[in-house]
Amino acid sequence: MTVLRDDVGAVRVLTLNRPEARNALNSELIEALYAAFCEADSDPSVRAVVLTGADPAFCAGVDLKEAQREGSAYFERYQTHNCITRVAEMRKPVVGAINGPVFTGGLEMALGCDFLIASERAIFADTHARVGILPGGGMTARLPQVVGAAMARRLSMTGEVIDAARALQIGLVTEVVAHEGLLERAVELAGQITEVPAPIMAGLKQIYVSGAAPVTDPALAAEQEISGALSDASDLGARYAEISERNRRQIRR
């Protein structure tokens, strides 16, 4: 199974489960994760969600091998099963438990969570530009909200990798914990969320989302328009070996 599901009381834990591919988003994982988000959002017994990855990574983002092989057909799948943007559309609160490296589309997905906590092993990078594609899942709209405009531009334009301590310093994550205690801590925080009456929590989340909408809406629209016009998947294969090897080196650290 590419997505593991575990219920801890009213908390649903969803785990991306392609560890051999650093949980990169292939077609099977895209569809399974999208379905899991929809199911959790519609299940009245679920009051909060924890999203994490099977070690050693949280999510490497786009499956570049499949994207290179399928070309535009790969990206068209997101039109109906966009697991990256679906996180931000959840009515239920989502806690992101970042257990390891999270890159590019994986980082966009993580940014859709209500807040993030990280393992000491977590590292973060927006490598869209280095891979040769533009963000299309909300990176340029949500990252500035979290870390500020200048830092967001720096991360996206340079593709630099930051560790968990730096992520905490710039506000990308709210807490860093020992790796072995990450999931327990994430479930604990999600459990605190479930103690609040459901209508109050739903209203609270709606207020936060509505407050961010005036900023994110035009940014998301511009991102999708420009990304759609300029992104080219045709030469991803030529870059795959270089990018993949760099990511593997970061994961092994």
Side-chain angles (χ1 to χ4, degrees), residues 226-247:
I226 297 170
S227 177
L230 296 181
S231 292
D232 181 7
S234 62
D235 62 348
L236 285 176
R239 297 186 180 94
Y240 175 76
E242 176 188 351
I243 301 299
S244 181
E245 178 57 31
R246 184 175 70 240
N247 289 352

PDB file of all heavy atoms in Angstrom, residues 226-247:
ATOM      1  N   ILE A 226       1.438  31.062 -14.964  1.00  0.00           N
ATOM      2  CA  ILE A 226       2.818  31.150 -15.463  1.00  0.00           C
ATOM      3  C   ILE A 226       3.456  29.776 -15.522  1.00  0.00           C
ATOM      4  O   ILE A 226       4.153  29.438 -16.484  1.00  0.00           O
ATOM      5  CB  ILE A 226       3.633  32.102 -14.580  1.00  0.00           C
ATOM      6  CG1 ILE A 226       3.055  33.509 -14.668  1.00  0.00           C
ATOM      7  CG2 ILE A 226       5.100  32.109 -15.007  1.00  0.00           C
ATOM      8  CD1 ILE A 226       3.635  34.483 -13.659  1.00  0.00           C
ATOM      9  N   SER A 227       3.200  28.960 -14.514  1.00  0.00           N
ATOM     10  CA  SER A 227       3.765  27.612 -14.498  1.00  0.00           C
ATOM     11  C   SER A 227       3.256  26.798 -15.675  1.00  0.00           C
ATOM     12  O   SER A 227       4.018  26.100 -16.346  1.00  0.00           O
ATOM     13  CB  SER A 227       3.407  26.908 -13.185  1.00  0.00           C
ATOM     14  OG  SER A 227       3.872  25.587 -13.181  1.00  0.00           O
ATOM     15  N   GLY A 228       1.975  26.900 -15.963  1.00  0.00           N
ATOM     16  CA  GLY A 228       1.400  26.160 -17.073  1.00  0.00           C
ATOM     17  C   GLY A 228       1.962  26.587 -18.412  1.00  0.00           C
ATOM     18  O   GLY A 228       2.128  25.782 -19.327  1.00  0.00           O
ATOM     19  N   ALA A 229       2.290  27.871 -18.520  1.00  0.00           N
ATOM     20  CA  ALA A 229       2.790  28.386 -19.793  1.00  0.00           C
ATOM     21  C   ALA A 229       4.263  28.057 -20.022  1.00  0.00           C
ATOM     22  O   ALA A 229       4.696  27.838 -21.152  1.00  0.00           O
ATOM     23  CB  ALA A 229       2.602  29.900 -19.842  1.00  0.00           C
ATOM     24  N   LEU A 230       5.056  27.979 -18.937  1.00  0.00           N
ATOM     25  CA  LEU A 230       6.506  27.888 -19.106  1.00  0.00           C
ATOM     26  C   LEU A 230       7.116  26.552 -18.720  1.00  0.00           C
ATOM     27  O   LEU A 230       8.211  26.238 -19.175  1.00  0.00           O
ATOM     28  CB  LEU A 230       7.191  28.983 -18.286  1.00  0.00           C
ATOM     29  CG  LEU A 230       6.884  30.420 -18.697  1.00  0.00           C
ATOM     30  CD1 LEU A 230       7.660  31.392 -17.815  1.00  0.00           C
ATOM     31  CD2 LEU A 230       7.233  30.657 -20.166  1.00  0.00           C
ATOM     32  N   SER A 231       6.460  25.773 -17.856  1.00  0.00           N
ATOM     33  CA  SER A 231       7.069  24.520 -17.422  1.00  0.00           C
ATOM     34  C   SER A 231       7.165  23.543 -18.574  1.00  0.00           C
ATOM     35  O   SER A 231       6.261  23.424 -19.390  1.00  0.00           O
ATOM     36  CB  SER A 231       6.259  23.892 -16.277  1.00  0.00           C
ATOM     37  OG  SER A 231       6.366  24.676 -15.117  1.00  0.00           O
ATOM     38  N   ASP A 232       8.280  22.843 -18.641  1.00  0.00           N
ATOM     39  CA  ASP A 232       8.523  21.886 -19.722  1.00  0.00           C
ATOM     40  C   ASP A 232       9.041  20.593 -19.130  1.00  0.00           C
ATOM     41  O   ASP A 232      10.129  20.562 -18.556  1.00  0.00           O
ATOM     42  CB  ASP A 232       9.549  22.459 -20.698  1.00  0.00           C
ATOM     43  CG  ASP A 232       9.826  21.521 -21.869  1.00  0.00           C
ATOM     44  OD1 ASP A 232       9.121  20.507 -21.975  1.00  0.00           O
ATOM     45  OD2 ASP A 232      10.744  21.807 -22.646  1.00  0.00           O
ATOM     46  N   ALA A 233       8.262  19.523 -19.256  1.00  0.00           N
ATOM     47  CA  ALA A 233       8.661  18.230 -18.709  1.00  0.00           C
ATOM     48  C   ALA A 233       9.495  17.436 -19.674  1.00  0.00           C
ATOM     49  O   ALA A 233      10.013  16.383 -19.346  1.00  0.00           O
ATOM     50  CB  ALA A 233       7.406  17.424 -18.328  1.00  0.00           C
ATOM     51  N   SER A 234       9.700  17.909 -20.873  1.00  0.00           N
ATOM     52  CA  SER A 234      10.315  17.098 -21.913  1.00  0.00           C
ATOM     53  C   SER A 234      11.769  16.759 -21.644  1.00  0.00           C
ATOM     54  O   SER A 234      12.268  15.739 -22.104  1.00  0.00           O
ATOM     55  CB  SER A 234      10.209  17.824 -23.266  1.00  0.00           C
ATOM     56  OG  SER A 234      10.916  19.051 -23.225  1.00  0.00           O
ATOM     57  N   ASP A 235      12.485  17.639 -20.904  1.00  0.00           N
ATOM     58  CA  ASP A 235      13.897  17.360 -20.682  1.00  0.00           C
ATOM     59  C   ASP A 235      14.205  17.010 -19.233  1.00  0.00           C
ATOM     60  O   ASP A 235      15.338  17.084 -18.793  1.00  0.00           O
ATOM     61  CB  ASP A 235      14.751  18.549 -21.110  1.00  0.00           C
ATOM     62  CG  ASP A 235      14.435  19.807 -20.312  1.00  0.00           C
ATOM     63  OD1 ASP A 235      13.415  19.806 -19.607  1.00  0.00           O
ATOM     64  OD2 ASP A 235      15.217  20.762 -20.407  1.00  0.00           O
ATOM     65  N   LEU A 236      13.185  16.593 -18.478  1.00  0.00           N
ATOM     66  CA  LEU A 236      13.422  16.216 -17.093  1.00  0.00           C
ATOM     67  C   LEU A 236      14.376  15.032 -16.998  1.00  0.00           C
ATOM     68  O   LEU A 236      15.168  14.932 -16.070  1.00  0.00           O
ATOM     69  CB  LEU A 236      12.100  15.875 -16.393  1.00  0.00           C
ATOM     70  CG  LEU A 236      11.213  17.065 -16.021  1.00  0.00           C
ATOM     71  CD1 LEU A 236       9.916  16.566 -15.431  1.00  0.00           C
ATOM     72  CD2 LEU A 236      11.910  17.982 -15.058  1.00  0.00           C
ATOM     73  N   GLY A 237      14.298  14.123 -17.940  1.00  0.00           N
ATOM     74  CA  GLY A 237      15.145  12.944 -17.890  1.00  0.00           C
ATOM     75  C   GLY A 237      16.613  13.286 -17.913  1.00  0.00           C
ATOM     76  O   GLY A 237      17.426  12.650 -17.234  1.00  0.00           O
ATOM     77  N   ALA A 238      16.990  14.317 -18.655  1.00  0.00           N
ATOM     78  CA  ALA A 238      18.393  14.711 -18.747  1.00  0.00           C
ATOM     79  C   ALA A 238      18.918  15.210 -17.417  1.00  0.00           C
ATOM     80  O   ALA A 238      20.108  15.114 -17.129  1.00  0.00           O
ATOM     81  CB  ALA A 238      18.552  15.788 -19.813  1.00  0.00           C
ATOM     82  N   ARG A 239      18.027  15.767 -16.592  1.00  0.00           N
ATOM     83  CA  ARG A 239      18.449  16.308 -15.310  1.00  0.00           C
ATOM     84  C   ARG A 239      18.266  15.309 -14.182  1.00  0.00           C
ATOM     85  O   ARG A 239      18.753  15.523 -13.073  1.00  0.00           O
ATOM     86  CB  ARG A 239      17.632  17.567 -14.977  1.00  0.00           C
ATOM     87  CG  ARG A 239      17.812  18.713 -15.954  1.00  0.00           C
ATOM     88  CD  ARG A 239      17.071  19.938 -15.430  1.00  0.00           C
ATOM     89  NE  ARG A 239      17.213  21.059 -16.332  1.00  0.00           N
ATOM     90  CZ  ARG A 239      16.340  21.349 -17.281  1.00  0.00           C
ATOM     91  NH1 ARG A 239      15.282  20.589 -17.447  1.00  0.00           N
ATOM     92  NH2 ARG A 239      16.520  22.383 -18.068  1.00  0.00           N
ATOM     93  N   TYR A 240      17.542  14.239 -14.425  1.00  0.00           N
ATOM     94  CA  TYR A 240      17.125  13.354 -13.335  1.00  0.00           C
ATOM     95  C   TYR A 240      18.304  12.793 -12.551  1.00  0.00           C
ATOM     96  O   TYR A 240      18.307  12.817 -11.322  1.00  0.00           O
ATOM     97  CB  TYR A 240      16.272  12.194 -13.858  1.00  0.00           C
ATOM     98  CG  TYR A 240      15.939  11.223 -12.759  1.00  0.00           C
ATOM     99  CD1 TYR A 240      14.975  11.535 -11.810  1.00  0.00           C
ATOM    100  CD2 TYR A 240      16.646  10.033 -12.622  1.00  0.00           C
ATOM    101  CE1 TYR A 240      14.694  10.677 -10.783  1.00  0.00           C
ATOM    102  CE2 TYR A 240      16.374   9.173 -11.589  1.00  0.00           C
ATOM    103  CZ  TYR A 240      15.391   9.493 -10.668  1.00  0.00           C
ATOM    104  OH  TYR A 240      15.145   8.639  -9.644  1.00  0.00           O
ATOM    105  N   ALA A 241      19.310  12.261 -13.248  1.00  0.00           N
ATOM    106  CA  ALA A 241      20.428  11.618 -12.559  1.00  0.00           C
ATOM    107  C   ALA A 241      21.117  12.588 -11.602  1.00  0.00           C
ATOM    108  O   ALA A 241      21.409  12.253 -10.459  1.00  0.00           O
ATOM    109  CB  ALA A 241      21.422  11.062 -13.568  1.00  0.00           C
ATOM    110  N   GLU A 242      21.357  13.816 -12.084  1.00  0.00           N
ATOM    111  CA  GLU A 242      22.043  14.804 -11.255  1.00  0.00           C
ATOM    112  C   GLU A 242      21.217  15.171 -10.030  1.00  0.00           C
ATOM    113  O   GLU A 242      21.718  15.178  -8.897  1.00  0.00           O
ATOM    114  CB  GLU A 242      22.320  16.059 -12.080  1.00  0.00           C
ATOM    115  CG  GLU A 242      22.943  17.192 -11.273  1.00  0.00           C
ATOM    116  CD  GLU A 242      23.030  18.473 -12.072  1.00  0.00           C
ATOM    117  OE1 GLU A 242      22.774  18.435 -13.299  1.00  0.00           O
ATOM    118  OE2 GLU A 242      23.340  19.504 -11.471  1.00  0.00           O
ATOM    119  N   ILE A 243      19.936  15.489 -10.244  1.00  0.00           N
ATOM    120  CA  ILE A 243      19.087  15.904  -9.131  1.00  0.00           C
ATOM    121  C   ILE A 243      18.886  14.747  -8.167  1.00  0.00           C
ATOM    122  O   ILE A 243      18.954  14.911  -6.947  1.00  0.00           O
ATOM    123  CB  ILE A 243      17.726  16.398  -9.652  1.00  0.00           C
ATOM    124  CG1 ILE A 243      17.924  17.581 -10.607  1.00  0.00           C
ATOM    125  CG2 ILE A 243      16.818  16.793  -8.498  1.00  0.00           C
ATOM    126  CD1 ILE A 243      18.575  18.775  -9.977  1.00  0.00           C
ATOM    127  N   SER A 244      18.623  13.553  -8.694  1.00  0.00           N
ATOM    128  CA  SER A 244      18.366  12.392  -7.859  1.00  0.00           C
ATOM    129  C   SER A 244      19.570  12.067  -6.990  1.00  0.00           C
ATOM    130  O   SER A 244      19.437  11.766  -5.808  1.00  0.00           O
ATOM    131  CB  SER A 244      18.007  11.185  -8.727  1.00  0.00           C
ATOM    132  OG  SER A 244      17.723  10.065  -7.933  1.00  0.00           O
ATOM    133  N   GLU A 245      20.769  12.128  -7.570  1.00  0.00           N
ATOM    134  CA  GLU A 245      21.977  11.820  -6.800  1.00  0.00           C
ATOM    135  C   GLU A 245      22.195  12.850  -5.703  1.00  0.00           C
ATOM    136  O   GLU A 245      22.557  12.512  -4.568  1.00  0.00           O
ATOM    137  CB  GLU A 245      23.189  11.771  -7.721  1.00  0.00           C
ATOM    138  CG  GLU A 245      24.497  11.495  -6.992  1.00  0.00           C
ATOM    139  CD  GLU A 245      24.472  10.207  -6.186  1.00  0.00           C
ATOM    140  OE1 GLU A 245      23.765   9.254  -6.581  1.00  0.00           O
ATOM    141  OE2 GLU A 245      25.168  10.156  -5.150  1.00  0.00           O
ATOM    142  N   ARG A 246      21.943  14.135  -6.001  1.00  0.00           N
ATOM    143  CA  ARG A 246      22.098  15.158  -4.980  1.00  0.00           C
ATOM    144  C   ARG A 246      21.117  14.925  -3.832  1.00  0.00           C
ATOM    145  O   ARG A 246      21.464  15.029  -2.659  1.00  0.00           O
ATOM    146  CB  ARG A 246      21.887  16.552  -5.575  1.00  0.00           C
ATOM    147  CG  ARG A 246      22.154  17.653  -4.537  1.00  0.00           C
ATOM    148  CD  ARG A 246      22.083  19.052  -5.127  1.00  0.00           C
ATOM    149  NE  ARG A 246      20.733  19.399  -5.480  1.00  0.00           N
ATOM    150  CZ  ARG A 246      20.350  19.701  -6.720  1.00  0.00           C
ATOM    151  NH1 ARG A 246      21.218  19.678  -7.704  1.00  0.00           N
ATOM    152  NH2 ARG A 246      19.100  20.026  -6.982  1.00  0.00           N
ATOM    153  N   ASN A 247      19.879  14.583  -4.170  1.00  0.00           N
ATOM    154  CA  ASN A 247      18.887  14.319  -3.137  1.00  0.00           C
ATOM    155  C   ASN A 247      19.275  13.112  -2.291  1.00  0.00           C
ATOM    156  O   ASN A 247      19.097  13.109  -1.071  1.00  0.00           O
ATOM    157  CB  ASN A 247      17.518  14.096  -3.777  1.00  0.00           C
ATOM    158  CG  ASN A 247      16.936  15.376  -4.337  1.00  0.00           C
ATOM    159  OD1 ASN A 247      17.475  16.452  -4.125  1.00  0.00           O
ATOM    160  ND2 ASN A 247      15.848  15.256  -5.083  1.00  0.00           N
TER     161      ASN A 247
END
